[in-house]
Amino acid sequence: MKKTRITCSLLFLFVFILPTLLFAQVPPRLDVVKWEFPPSFGKVTINLVGDAGHNLRPYEFWKSDFEQVGLNIVITEVPFEGVYEKEKTEFIADTGAFDVVTFYPSYIGDFAGNGYLEPLDEYMQKAPAAVWDPNANDVLAPFWELYCKFDGKAYALPIDGDVHMLMYRKDLFEHPEEKAAFKEKYGKELAPPETWEDWLQIGAFFTRPKGEKLGGEVLNENFYGSAEFAKRGFSFAWFVNRWAPFGEPYFDENMKPLVNSPNAVKGLQNMVDGLKNNPPDVLGYGYDELRDAFLKGYVAMIVQWTDVPKKGADPTQSAIAGNIGYGRVPGWEVDGKVEHRSMMPVGRVIGVAKSSANKEAAYWVAKHVSYDTSLENVSTSLTGLDPYRTIHFTNPQAYTMFPNEAEALNYLKGVEAAMADGYPEIFIPGAAQYQDSLDLHVNKALTGQETPQQALDTVAKEWDEITEKLGREKQIELWNKALVTYKALGLIK
């Protein structure tokens, strides 16, 4: 009888209590942004699509807000790497399957340029402003001008400001025994890597088999100096971190690819060379695996998106809470000065599908997540969304996963430093095709199927083919407009 009671109690716990606790994980209302509800839209279903996982959680957080104005949000989740294919397929087929589309901003030239998205300017200007205005002036300029606009019009609202930053094990870099051993071996002080040559050297120093000592303790399992996002999908961004400091854009003014330059080959060779300091399964590392390798304490340093330190400060998600240092993504010495660049890959914006039958309601859903609730959405470790508005940087008290406001400010300063080095993706039609070609051959170089030179020569050839297919003259025109924007925003020289 006692066993039956225990079994029933456990069943009650898993069926009733645990789901309640999980769904109860909602950030507190911060009341920094003053906004108002619109009149009820009636009983309307809004179909939304986005990449699966924690970045769709705001639609759970604020479910009662949507219900209050008569909206039922139905979400379609697709794999991280499958967003473009899924949304483009639905757009071309004109199925009208989605009202709200979450996508990576580099696709805006394709989606807006082909008429798949509803222009948003008129909705943004509706009265009252507390209901409809997404406060674009508060958005950091690169995230508004590049992420949300095409040909002078707004077609999306931002919900995620992505940029890479360096993260390292502060406790190991500051450990007296490690500092002494590094100085004895290399004749210089142990410090976070300033250059990509340093990255290789420090990575080799910290790579050790189990049984050896690390930070004064004997290792129970192997430890690695560094790790990469090496999985097919977005590994190209970790390569561009190593190429961009040389100041070469993706194409020249006539759309001649520069991706196989000697500097680009040098950058890719560095990435290949670094694999020897990585975990043996690193070729399967995407966002989750790279994050977990670091936060579980298997790796000394990584370059990752800026949401990882928020999870890293949370002891329920991190074995190294309190021991994470932040720095600039390593660079290269150019003309006597080390130049740093941090890729701004992925990000997320929300657009309204041109085919939606509920455009006004769909727009308000986008505005509510992009502005009204944005501080709550980016300041929690329950999502992977990163700061993209001024208010996200001026409210350190919101980031409660850090032990105090000083630590939160330290994190936000690290994000700001990364943004100062920010380097854009390709933002013209064909971006998905150009980047997929680059990612494929970067991956082939990492797996040893092609040398860095072979890989990037093939990319240059394929980029030319993509440009011809899309119309060279039109691509040249759009690329030169993009270059003007990049330079005006200070993203390239």
Side-chain angles (χ1 to χ4, degrees):
M1 187 67 179
K2 188 179 290 184
K3 179 184 280 189
T4 302
R5 286 197 189 114
I6 293 171
T7 302
C8 290
S9 297
L10 288 173
L11 182 62
F12 179 82
L13 174 68
F14 283 104
V15 174
F16 296 102
I17 296 178
L18 284 184
T20 301
L21 291 174
L22 288 172
F23 286 113
Q25 287 187 297
V26 174
R29 294 280 190 184
L30 299 172
D31 294 325
V32 171
V33 175
K34 304 304 177 185
W35 56 273
E36 297 176 5
F37 284 109
S40 177
F41 295 103
K43 294 183 179 180
V44 171
T45 294
I46 295 296
N47 291 292
L48 179 144
V49 62
D51 57 300
H54 57 178
N55 292 314
L56 291 174
R57 294 212 63 190
Y59 302 100
E60 292 177 27
F61 298 161
W62 317 118
K63 182 180 179 182
S64 63
D65 291 355
F66 301 126
E67 290 176 341
Q68 184 165 328
V69 294
L71 298 179
N72 175 42
I73 309 295
V74 175
I75 299 172
T76 297
E77 299 188 40
V78 297
F80 181 59
E81 299 85 0
V83 169
Y84 177 82
E85 183 179 355
K86 174 63 176 175
E87 295 182 3
K88 185 68 177 284
T89 298
E90 299 291 346
F91 286 144
I92 291 174
D94 196 25
T95 62
F98 303 117
D99 301 287
V100 176
V101 287
T102 303
F103 60 94
Y104 309 138
S106 62
Y107 305 159
I108 197 162
D110 192 343
F111 290 177
N114 283 298
Y116 303 143
L117 302 177
E118 175 79 356
L120 302 182
D121 300 86
E122 290 186 12
Y123 300 91
M124 293 165 55
Q125 294 162 12
K126 284 168 61 73
V131 173
W132 303 106
D133 185 1
N135 197 359
N137 291 333
D138 182 61
V139 179
L140 301 188
F143 297 135
W144 182 248
E145 296 297 327
L146 281 180
Y147 279 31
C148 299
K149 295 172 73 175
F150 180 76
D151 202 21
K153 295 181 180 179
Y155 285 93
L157 300 181
I159 60 167
D160 179 26
D162 275 341
V163 66
H164 282 170
M165 71 190 308
L166 171 71
M167 290 155 238
Y168 60 92
R169 283 283 299 277
K170 190 166 56 173
D171 55 329
L172 297 181
F173 276 76
E174 295 175 357
H175 195 280
E177 291 181 16
E178 299 299 337
K179 289 170 69 71
F182 188 85
K183 188 165 187 178
E184 180 180 354
K185 185 170 185 177
Y186 298 109
K188 60 182 182 181
E189 299 295 332
L190 176 60
E194 178 75 1
T195 68
W196 286 108
E197 290 104 328
D198 295 338
W199 173 268
L200 296 181
Q201 187 178 72
I202 296 168
F205 173 73
F206 277 121
T207 299
R208 300 176 197 179
K210 65 179 181 179
E212 287 195 9
K213 289 181 70 175
L214 176 72
E217 298 183 4
V218 176
L219 289 167
N220 293 321
E221 46 192 315
N222 296 338
F223 189 82
Y224 301 93
S226 60
E228 305 280 351
F229 186 126
K231 183 180 179 182
R232 178 85 165 91
F234 288 95
S235 58
F236 75 89
W238 275 254
F239 153 67
V240 178
N241 282 326
R242 293 164 160 91
W243 174 33
F246 292 109
E248 299 169 348
Y250 299 101
F251 307 92
D252 70 10
E253 294 178 353
N254 295 309
M255 287 295 291
K256 176 186 175 184
L258 303 178
V259 70
N260 58 339
S261 72
N263 289 326
V265 173
K266 180 178 180 179
L268 184 52
Q269 185 64 59
N270 176 275
M271 190 174 179
V272 171
D273 291 345
L275 294 180
K276 63 180 178 293
N277 305 321
N278 288 197
D281 58 344
V282 74
L283 293 174
Y285 277 22
Y287 167 84
D288 293 331
E289 295 82 6
L290 182 57
R291 175 202 62 206
D292 291 348
F294 185 61
L295 297 189
K296 289 180 180 179
Y298 305 143
V299 173
M301 57 184 182
I302 61 170
V303 168
Q304 251 283 32
W305 282 288
T306 54
D307 68 288
V308 171
K310 291 183 293 180
K311 298 180 185 297
D314 181 352
T316 67
Q317 301 186 58
S318 170
I320 58 172
N323 288 315
I324 299 176
Y326 324 117
R328 300 171 80 181
V329 171
W332 295 102
E333 186 172 321
V334 180
D335 297 328
K337 177 186 174 185
V338 177
E339 297 286 347
H340 300 262
R341 280 315 203 193
S342 300
M343 268 294 282
M344 300 164 61
V346 189
R348 284 165 187 82
V349 295
I350 316 179
V352 175
K354 190 76 172 178
S355 58
S356 171
N358 299 291
K359 294 184 177 67
E360 187 174 84
Y363 168 79
W364 186 79
V365 170
K367 181 262 182 181
H368 194 52
V369 175
S370 174
Y371 180 45
D372 302 343
T373 63
S374 66
L375 180 58
E376 289 90 339
N377 299 336
V378 305
S379 64
T380 176
S381 61
L382 298 174
T383 74
L385 303 175
D386 298 291
Y388 56 91
R389 289 181 177 271
T390 301
I391 57 168
H392 300 162
F393 291 92
T394 55
N395 289 279
Q397 77 282 358
Y399 298 80
T400 56
M401 69 288 297
F402 295 100
N404 51 57
E405 282 193 28
E407 285 298 316
L409 273 172
N410 187 40
Y411 160 69
L412 291 171
K413 287 178 181 177
V415 178
E416 287 180 316
M419 276 304 306
D421 292 331
Y423 191 79
E425 293 182 88
I426 298 170
F427 280 85
I428 60 172
Q433 289 82 13
Y434 291 124
Q435 289 173 179
D436 185 64
S437 167
L438 179 57
D439 190 79
L440 171 63
H441 294 286
V442 163
N443 209 253
K444 286 189 174 185
L446 296 178
T447 57
Q449 298 174 67
E450 297 174 345
T451 67
Q453 185 72 65
Q454 289 170 339
L456 297 180
D457 282 345
T458 304
V459 173
K461 178 176 178 292
E462 291 181 358
W463 280 10
D464 266 331
E465 293 170 353
I466 294 166
T467 298
E468 289 297 330
K469 183 177 180 180
L470 294 174
R472 180 169 294 275
E473 292 305 313
K474 185 62 174 178
Q475 291 296 94
I476 289 173
E477 177 188 349
L478 293 170
W479 174 244
N480 279 280
K481 286 182 179 179
L483 284 175
V484 169
T485 303
Y486 291 168
K487 290 175 182 177
L489 295 170
L491 299 175
I492 67 171
K493 295 180 180 178

